[in-house]
Amino acid sequence: MKELLLTYRYELLYSLAVLFILLLIQFLLRTAANKVGRRGEINITRTRLMFKYINILIILIAAFLLALAWGVGLTDLSLIFSSVFAVIGVALFAIWSILSNVTSGIILFFSFPYKIGDTIKIHDKDLDIEAEIEDIKAFHLHLRTREGELVTYPNNLILQKAVTLKHRVDGKDEGKDAL
């Protein structure tokens, strides 16, 4: 065991340093997302969704840096990542609307002026919708009409349409305890 530790001491030290730094970065990003969530009174569920995105980003960076640390060459690593991203790119092109909705969900997290419980009107030439925001998900909004119908409205469309606030909820939502 001692021989193994001496043989790979630099790789192990580099790996520990990378993991420590990435955990620190993850903590800082999660703290920042939590502060944005609290300041904007964003629902806890939406804040936790941002935590998932942060975790995925950290895992990808860790995989790249640890592969470098353990001797995978930069050309081999670039070949692997370019192949993976090519496949992902083709898949995402085929399902671009999903990517668009996820990206819109991230934008809504940081800049959507309406909260869960607010009543909004979406001005659409085909179908005007006036409803209460019941939930804001990664791909769509859940809207409840006065008639009790549940409408799922894609996140990318909510950014493209004019939206009017009809009634704001006075109470605070659950975005205070995001940790």
Side-chain angles (χ1 to χ4, degrees):
M1 181 70 168
K2 185 177 179 182
E3 186 178 312
L4 184 69
L5 290 175
L6 288 175
T7 305
Y8 294 108
R9 69 179 173 263
Y10 295 114
E11 290 87 352
L12 289 170
L13 288 173
Y14 183 80
S15 297
L16 287 174
V18 163
L19 290 176
F20 176 75
I21 290 169
L22 287 177
L23 286 174
L24 179 67
I25 291 171
Q26 179 187 29
F27 173 76
L28 293 174
L29 288 174
R30 287 174 62 112
T31 303
N34 189 35
K35 283 183 183 178
V36 168
R38 279 186 301 185
R39 189 176 303 129
E41 298 177 1
I42 296 171
N43 190 294
I44 183 85
T45 315
R46 292 181 58 208
T47 304
R48 287 185 181 146
L49 183 62
M50 287 301 114
F51 292 169
K52 288 180 186 179
Y53 294 152
I54 290 168
N55 290 341
I56 290 170
L57 175 68
I58 294 296
I59 288 170
L60 288 174
I61 293 171
F64 178 76
L65 292 175
L66 290 175
L68 282 177
W70 286 92
V72 176
L74 197 54
T75 56
D76 296 335
L77 205 54
S78 65
L79 177 67
I80 291 169
F81 273 94
S82 65
S83 299
V84 167
F85 285 128
V87 170
I88 290 173
V90 169
L92 290 178
F93 179 75
I95 54 171
W96 68 270
S97 65
I98 292 175
L99 178 63
S100 173
N101 283 319
V102 170
T103 305
S104 298
I106 293 170
I107 293 169
L108 289 177
F109 177 77
F110 289 106
S111 65
F112 195 53
Y114 311 115
K115 309 284 182 239
I116 293 174
D118 289 351
T119 302
I120 60 171
K121 180 175 183 176
I122 301 170
H123 303 280
D124 191 351
K125 67 177 183 172
D126 296 328
L127 175 67
D128 278 351
I129 298 173
E130 185 170 331
E132 179 181 326
I133 300 173
E134 197 170 271
D135 200 0
I136 303 173
K137 302 272 187 192
F139 297 103
H140 54 271
L141 297 173
H142 282 182
L143 304 171
R144 184 72 62 181
T145 65
R146 288 186 179 149
E147 295 79 29
E149 296 174 320
L150 177 65
V151 177
T152 56
Y153 202 80
N155 286 342
N156 62 348
L157 290 182
I158 198 76
L159 293 178
Q160 296 174 15
K161 305 292 181 186
V163 179
T164 305
L165 177 65
K166 290 295 194 173
H167 178 265
R168 174 157 315 266
V169 174
D170 292 328
K172 306 282 185 194
D173 71 0
E174 303 163 11
K176 297 294 180 190
D177 316 338
L179 282 178

